[in-house]
Amino acid sequence: MSRAAPVVLTIAGSDNSGGAGLQADLKTLTTLGVYGTTAVTCVVAEHPGRVLNITPIPPARVADQIRLVLETFPVAAIKTGMLYSAGIIDAVAEAIAPALAQGVPLVVDPVMVASSGKVLMKNDAIRALRQFIARAMLVTPNREEAALLWGRPIQNLPALEKAAVALARRFRHPQFLVKGGHLRTEQAVDVLASPEGHVREFGAKRIPGSDPHGTGCTYSAAIAAGLAKSLTLTEAVVLGKLFITRALRRRFEIGPYQLLNHLPPRW
């Protein structure tokens, strides 16, 4: 028997190792009962410890993918990951504008730096990304990305909270979920701040020895899935936090690397 499912469009890079990017997004969306569609922005040759090279897709071809998805599917949420260049960002912004005008929520994961330390965005893209962020419902930077956008280092939880509030006020429209997974705290705490100054913390017990890549992609994809299912933003963040915590706790150990486990619990 056929049935309908909410549709999410993820616009991001391809990770051949399967742990991050579009591959992680699709695994997350599928497990959460959402139909995932994609627009590929870059082809990344990498494994969890190394990015070898990044090949961008021409901006017009990225836009073509987006337009065809939006023409065909009732997209209920859009999520972006690695956008890489100003040209791609501008093309994405133009292509998704009709959907945003109709109220489709946008989650922006501002992918700038890989876990390995490799920079994943060209210099000319930072300014374009700042303009793009203003269109979002939610932005989900990690500590390093938030510090780059804020212009100050973030060393502790109070600074993380200040950064979240400052960024939400600066960009005015989106809320900011600044993730504290890289802080040395007993709990992994993420801070959600609104432009009005409302702040909420989402904490989970830190999982010792856990450091797989793709956590940001997975977390933001789970939030987008929640929004597509008509959850409130807070409810969607709770869902995302639960999902990423479970994926970390049940992680795979394959060769020398840790990999997130996106499978449902029964597996």
Side-chain angles (χ1 to χ4, degrees):
M1 182 177 69
S2 63
R3 64 172 188 165
V7 178
V8 170
L9 167 60
T10 174
I11 305 166
S14 171
D15 169 20
N16 59 278
S17 73
L22 293 174
Q23 287 84 344
D25 292 348
L26 289 175
K27 292 174 186 178
T28 301
L29 297 173
T30 300
T31 296
L32 291 174
V34 172
Y35 186 80
T37 61
T38 66
V40 184
T41 61
C42 301
V43 175
V44 184
E46 68 173 329
H47 60 62
R50 180 188 177 203
V51 176
L52 179 62
N53 54 58
I54 301 171
T55 304
I57 304 300
R61 301 293 78 80
V62 177
D64 287 344
Q65 297 173 74
I66 295 168
R67 292 193 184 99
L68 284 173
V69 168
L70 294 177
E71 286 174 9
T72 308
F73 298 95
V75 172
I78 299 171
K79 178 242 166 169
T80 65
M82 186 171 69
L83 299 177
Y84 187 65
S85 72
I88 292 175
I89 292 171
D90 292 342
V92 170
E94 182 179 354
I96 67 173
L100 300 189
Q102 294 174 2
V104 176
L106 171 64
V107 177
V108 174
D109 182 18
V111 179
M112 299 177 181
V113 183
S115 299
S116 62
K118 173 76 172 181
V119 176
L120 299 177
M121 180 169 282
K122 296 184 73 175
N123 291 335
D124 69 344
I126 302 297
R127 183 165 57 184
L129 181 67
R130 291 178 184 274
Q131 295 174 342
F132 183 76
I133 280 172
R135 302 167 181 259
M137 171 185 282
L138 179 69
V139 187
T140 63
N142 60 30
R143 184 186 69 168
E144 292 79 9
E145 292 159 348
L148 183 59
L149 291 169
W150 189 30
R152 305 181 191 178
I154 299 173
Q155 304 294 347
N156 51 44
L157 187 56
L160 194 79
E161 182 174 317
K162 288 181 181 178
V165 172
L167 289 170
R169 286 177 173 166
R170 180 184 301 172
F171 287 93
R172 298 184 181 178
H173 174 67
Q175 296 195 42
F176 271 76
L177 180 69
V178 180
K179 297 168 291 188
H182 294 164
L183 292 175
R184 296 175 182 265
T185 52
E186 183 176 343
Q187 282 207 325
V189 178
D190 310 318
V191 177
L192 178 66
S194 71
E196 297 78 25
H198 303 304
V199 176
R200 178 167 177 177
E201 293 185 356
F202 300 83
K205 187 176 180 181
R206 189 171 295 281
I207 301 168
S210 175
D211 190 29
H213 82 156
T215 53
C217 307
T218 298
Y219 197 168
S220 54
I223 294 171
L227 293 173
K229 290 181 168 185
S230 299
L231 299 184
T232 67
L233 180 57
T234 298
E235 290 169 341
V237 173
V238 170
L239 172 66
K241 185 70 171 178
L242 289 171
F243 189 89
I244 189 59
T245 301
R246 186 183 70 192
L248 284 164
R249 185 176 297 119
R250 300 172 60 242
R251 65 192 180 275
F252 296 117
E253 305 256 350
I254 302 177
Y257 297 110
Q258 299 177 357
L259 300 165
L260 291 171
N261 184 348
H262 299 88
L263 293 171
R266 65 178 179 272
W267 286 83

